[in-house]
Amino acid sequence: MSLFRLPEDVLYLILSYLDFKSLIRLSQVCKKLYHFANGDAVWRKIAKDCINTGVTRQGTDLYSYISLKSRVRVSHNWAQGKCNKDALLKWKPYLLPWLQLDRDVLYLSQAAEICAYHLRTGRGKFQRNRFAVFSGHHGDVCRFVLTDTHLISAGCDGKIIVHDRGNDLSMEIFGHNQEVNCIDCKGNVIVSGSRDKSARVWTLSSIRTGECLNTIPTFDRVWSVAISPTIWCQLVSCLGAEFRRGAGVLDIAYESPFQLLTCGYDTYIRYWDLRVCSRKCVMEWEEPHDSALYCMQTDGNHMIAAGTAHHGVVRLWDKRKTRCLRMFQLTSAISSPVYSLRFNTSHLYAALASSLYALDFNGTGPRARR
């Protein structure tokens, strides 16, 4: 019986059991098999097992506008370390920049301003002319977050400013007595942490905008905060106190309401399960050169990218392995930390003290290398 007499759903099911190389070879047989072998239904199982394809463990597809076959191809470049490196921007005074990425727009804080730059959709190419600037702080911006409609920034002047991304309007919230080191936002709730040894909860609701709902004393400087995807499951989680002195947490990322990642001065990335009564660390990855970890991002599935404190080094981790998957040294000119990084399926952007770098994993250019 001809293979093409089978119902399409049966044929897709059969092809879903093939591996990456077999599907590529099969797609070269004829036009009809090429059509079937390029369908997302065939590649979904493979994509879930690869790093940084945008398919999370919960089955969510973060980049549905890009075919899964293309993302699996680029994923192999991530795993093998094949990329082009490019210095996108450089500036003279040393800063502590922060990044956020929203599809085809990259936001970068530089001193008291936050600048927005366009990326060419689908190619990740950087447009050096900024198209928007958000200002209002009287000192450097420490952190900022994005919502669908707002950009919320925290500065060393102790202020929190809510900017409207659609126009130049901004609303100032007098946040803390000292610099605000970190901030996060979910829905109409903002949480901020400060040098004044407290974390505060604010509301963005139209009636009570800017009102402080709660102040949480922490007895130490707050370096990082994160709000659970289910905001009200618990207000504060204690992950333990038996750490060595100076082992501050510099970045936090939730993967689910009950699972989160932390990194910081003690050179470890830790994976926490909040469903365990003791809020147990279920896995950890140590930075092999004993360097502090300033920032990180997860793909929601298998990959973690982290920025280290020395020589502009970015490390990639596969959570199924204990050893570092890949290491990229962005610069040898200065020993700068990677203060912030963000990635999508094809590019990684990293901000150092005096420059912004990009790693392009599309692998189509002549400079693609390991």
Side-chain angles (χ1 to χ4, degrees):
M1 187 179 74
S2 170
L3 186 67
F4 299 118
R5 291 184 181 178
L6 294 172
E8 286 193 5
D9 55 344
V10 175
L11 187 55
Y12 277 125
L13 179 63
I14 294 172
L15 297 185
S16 69
Y17 286 95
L18 299 181
D19 60 14
F20 174 75
K21 291 184 178 178
S22 299
L23 280 172
I24 295 297
R25 291 168 181 165
L26 188 66
S27 67
Q28 298 172 345
V29 173
C30 64
K31 289 184 178 180
K32 199 161 187 177
L33 280 176
Y34 177 85
H35 166 73
F36 282 108
N38 279 274
D40 279 1
V42 174
W43 290 91
R44 188 162 298 279
K45 182 179 178 182
I46 298 174
K48 288 183 71 174
D49 290 331
C50 294
I51 62 170
N52 195 28
T53 58
V55 179
T56 67
R57 283 176 294 172
Q58 290 75 30
T60 306
D61 192 344
L62 302 178
Y63 304 100
S64 56
Y65 51 92
I66 305 173
S67 71
L68 284 176
K69 179 184 176 182
S70 298
R71 284 182 268 167
V72 169
R73 175 185 60 80
V74 176
S75 173
H76 280 255
N77 292 336
W78 283 86
Q80 296 169 16
K82 296 180 179 179
C83 65
N84 294 329
K85 181 177 73 174
D86 191 15
L88 303 180
L89 291 174
K90 292 190 177 182
W91 50 87
K92 287 192 175 180
Y94 284 2
L95 304 173
L96 279 74
W98 192 252
L99 292 173
Q100 292 290 356
L101 184 61
D102 184 19
R103 291 195 64 154
D104 62 343
V105 179
L106 184 71
Y107 295 84
L108 168 69
S109 67
Q110 294 174 287
E113 295 182 336
I114 301 169
C115 305
Y117 299 90
H118 273 307
L119 307 173
R120 291 178 188 168
T121 304
R123 297 186 179 183
K125 298 296 184 182
F126 186 77
Q127 304 296 298
R128 296 178 185 273
N129 296 325
R130 58 192 186 183
F131 72 91
V133 177
F134 303 89
S135 57
H137 287 282
H138 299 298
D140 288 0
V141 174
C142 296
R143 296 282 178 99
F144 65 94
V145 294
L146 301 174
T147 69
D148 291 338
T149 56
H150 294 91
L151 183 151
I152 306 163
S153 60
C156 65
D157 55 2
K159 297 178 181 177
I160 299 168
I161 299 179
V162 180
H163 309 267
D164 192 322
R165 290 171 62 181
N167 52 53
D168 296 331
L169 297 178
S170 62
M171 179 196 67
E172 182 181 304
I173 301 175
F174 288 92
H176 293 259
N177 298 325
Q178 299 184 46
E179 67 183 74
V180 186
N181 298 309
C182 50
I183 196 163
D184 196 12
C185 180
K186 290 285 189 302
N188 288 326
V189 176
I190 301 173
V191 174
S192 60
S194 171
R195 190 188 184 99
D196 65 7
K197 301 181 181 179
S198 73
R200 294 185 180 179
V201 183
W202 312 83
T203 178
L204 266 181
S205 64
S206 56
I207 301 175
R208 305 164 63 190
T209 300
E211 180 181 339
C212 181
L213 301 178
N214 195 15
T215 298
I216 306 164
T218 58
F219 311 107
D220 199 355
R221 180 174 182 163
V222 182
W223 284 108
S224 56
V225 294
I227 303 176
S228 168
T230 53
I231 299 174
W232 298 115
C233 66
Q234 51 194 4
L235 184 58
V236 179
S237 293
C238 180
L239 302 180
E242 298 179 359
F243 299 102
R244 74 185 189 206
R245 185 174 179 83
V249 174
L250 297 178
D251 204 2
I252 304 176
Y254 271 95
E255 282 202 323
S256 76
F258 307 106
Q259 295 167 313
L260 63 94
L261 292 156
T262 62
C263 69
Y265 283 122
D266 66 348
T267 75
Y268 281 90
I269 298 173
R270 288 190 169 89
Y271 195 51
W272 302 87
D273 191 338
L274 304 183
R275 291 169 294 187
V276 182
C277 293
S278 59
R279 286 155 176 79
K280 183 180 179 182
C281 175
V282 294
M283 193 172 294
E284 58 186 21
W285 300 269
E286 183 179 11
E287 210 287 326
H289 291 165
D290 200 34
S291 182
L293 299 169
Y294 273 59
C295 57
M296 66 178 175
Q297 186 184 346
T298 171
D299 68 347
N301 195 13
H302 299 305
M303 193 185 85
I304 307 170
T308 70
H310 300 296
H311 308 296
V313 170
V314 172
R315 291 191 181 275
L316 298 187
W317 304 82
D318 187 329
K319 290 189 293 189
R320 297 164 293 187
K321 303 176 183 179
T322 55
R323 297 184 63 182
C324 174
L325 180 65
R326 294 291 166 190
M327 184 271 283
F328 305 94
Q329 184 173 357
L330 301 179
T331 179
S332 57
I334 59 170
S335 182
S336 168
V338 177
Y339 287 110
S340 180
L341 61 79
R342 289 292 180 266
F343 62 78
N344 52 29
T345 54
S346 59
H347 290 76
L348 183 145
Y349 302 93
L352 281 64
S354 60
S355 53
L356 172 68
Y357 281 87
L359 299 178
D360 180 356
F361 290 89
N362 275 312
T364 56
R367 294 182 295 142
R369 59 187 181 278
R370 297 186 72 150

Coordinates of all heavy atoms in Angstrom, one line a residue, residues 5 31 38 46 59 112 173 182 195 203 213 234 240-241 260 268 292 315 330 337 353:
R5 N -1.6 6.8 0.8 CA -3.0 6.5 1.0 C -3.4 6.5 2.5 O -4.6 6.4 2.8 CB -3.2 5.1 0.4 CG -3.1 5.0 -1.1 CD -3.4 3.6 -1.6 NE -3.3 3.5 -3.0 CZ -3.5 2.4 -3.7 NH1 -3.8 1.3 -3.1 NH2 -3.3 2.4 -5.0
K31 N 8.4 16.2 -3.2 CA 7.8 17.4 -2.7 C 6.7 17.1 -1.7 O 6.5 17.8 -0.7 CB 7.1 18.1 -3.9 CG 8.2 18.8 -4.8 CD 7.5 19.6 -5.9 CE 8.5 20.3 -6.8 NZ 7.8 21.0 -7.9
N38 N 7.9 19.0 7.1 CA 8.1 20.3 7.6 C 7.0 20.8 8.5 O 7.1 22.0 9.0 CB 8.2 21.3 6.4 CG 9.6 21.3 5.8 OD1 10.5 22.0 6.3 ND2 9.8 20.5 4.8
I46 N 10.5 16.6 19.0 CA 11.9 16.9 19.0 C 12.2 18.2 19.6 O 13.2 18.4 20.4 CB 12.4 16.9 17.5 CG1 12.2 15.5 16.9 CG2 13.9 17.3 17.4 CD1 12.6 15.4 15.4
G59 N 4.2 22.8 27.6 CA 3.6 22.8 26.3 C 3.3 24.1 25.6 O 2.8 24.1 24.5
A112 N 20.7 57.4 33.6 CA 19.4 57.7 34.1 C 18.3 57.5 33.0 O 17.2 57.8 33.3 CB 19.4 59.2 34.6
I173 N 6.4 57.3 41.5 CA 6.0 56.8 42.8 C 7.2 56.9 43.7 O 8.3 56.4 43.4 CB 5.6 55.3 42.8 CG1 4.4 55.1 41.8 CG2 5.3 54.7 44.1 CD1 4.1 53.6 41.6
C182 N 15.9 46.6 42.9 CA 15.2 45.6 42.1 C 13.7 45.8 42.1 O 13.1 46.5 43.0 CB 15.5 44.2 42.6 SG 15.2 44.0 44.4
R195 N 17.9 49.2 49.3 CA 19.0 49.2 50.2 C 18.6 49.5 51.6 O 19.3 49.3 52.6 CB 20.0 50.3 49.7 CG 21.3 50.3 50.4 CD 22.2 51.5 50.0 NE 23.5 51.5 50.6 CZ 24.6 51.1 50.0 NH1 24.5 50.7 48.7 NH2 25.8 51.1 50.6
T203 N 0.3 49.0 44.2 CA -0.7 48.6 43.3 C -0.7 49.6 42.1 O -0.4 50.7 42.2 CB -2.1 48.7 44.0 OG1 -3.1 48.4 43.0 CG2 -2.4 50.1 44.6
L213 N 0.8 48.9 49.4 CA -0.1 48.0 50.1 C 0.6 47.3 51.3 O -0.1 47.0 52.3 CB -0.5 46.9 49.1 CG -1.2 47.3 47.8 CD1 -1.5 46.1 47.0 CD2 -2.5 48.1 48.2
Q234 N 1.4 32.8 47.7 CA 2.0 33.1 49.0 C 2.8 34.5 48.8 O 3.2 34.8 47.7 CB 3.0 32.0 49.4 CG 4.0 31.6 48.3 CD 4.7 30.3 48.6 OE1 4.4 29.7 49.6 NE2 5.6 30.0 47.8
G240 N 15.7 29.5 53.0 CA 16.8 29.1 53.9 C 17.6 30.3 54.2 O 17.7 31.3 53.6
A241 N 18.4 30.1 55.3 CA 19.2 31.1 55.8 C 20.6 30.6 56.1 O 21.5 31.4 56.6 CB 18.6 31.7 57.1
L260 N 11.5 27.8 41.0 CA 12.2 29.0 40.6 C 13.7 28.8 40.6 O 14.2 27.8 41.3 CB 11.8 30.2 41.5 CG 12.1 30.1 43.0 CD1 13.5 30.7 43.4 CD2 11.0 30.7 43.8
Y268 N 26.7 29.8 42.5 CA 25.8 28.7 42.2 C 24.5 29.2 41.5 O 24.0 30.3 41.8 CB 25.4 27.9 43.4 CG 26.4 27.0 43.9 CD1 27.4 27.3 44.8 CD2 26.4 25.6 43.4 CE1 28.3 26.4 45.3 CE2 27.4 24.7 43.9 CZ 28.3 25.1 44.8 OH 29.2 24.2 45.3
A292 N 31.2 35.0 40.6 CA 29.8 35.4 40.9 C 28.9 35.4 39.7 O 29.4 35.7 38.6 CB 29.7 36.7 41.6
R315 N 27.6 31.9 30.2 CA 27.6 30.4 30.2 C 26.3 29.9 29.9 O 25.3 30.4 30.4 CB 28.1 29.9 31.6 CG 29.6 30.1 31.8 CD 30.1 29.3 33.1 NE 31.5 29.6 33.3 CZ 32.5 29.0 32.7 NH1 32.3 28.1 31.8 NH2 33.8 29.3 33.0
L330 N 32.9 37.4 25.8 CA 32.5 38.4 24.9 C 33.6 39.4 24.7 O 33.6 40.1 23.6 CB 31.2 39.1 25.5 CG 30.0 38.2 25.7 CD1 28.9 39.0 26.3 CD2 29.6 37.6 24.4
P337 N 31.8 42.5 34.4 CA 30.7 41.5 34.6 C 29.7 41.6 33.4 O 29.6 42.7 32.8 CB 30.1 41.9 35.9 CG 31.0 42.8 36.6 CD 31.8 43.5 35.5
A353 N 29.9 46.6 31.2 CA 30.0 47.9 31.8 C 30.1 49.0 30.8 O 29.6 50.1 31.0 CB 31.3 47.9 32.7

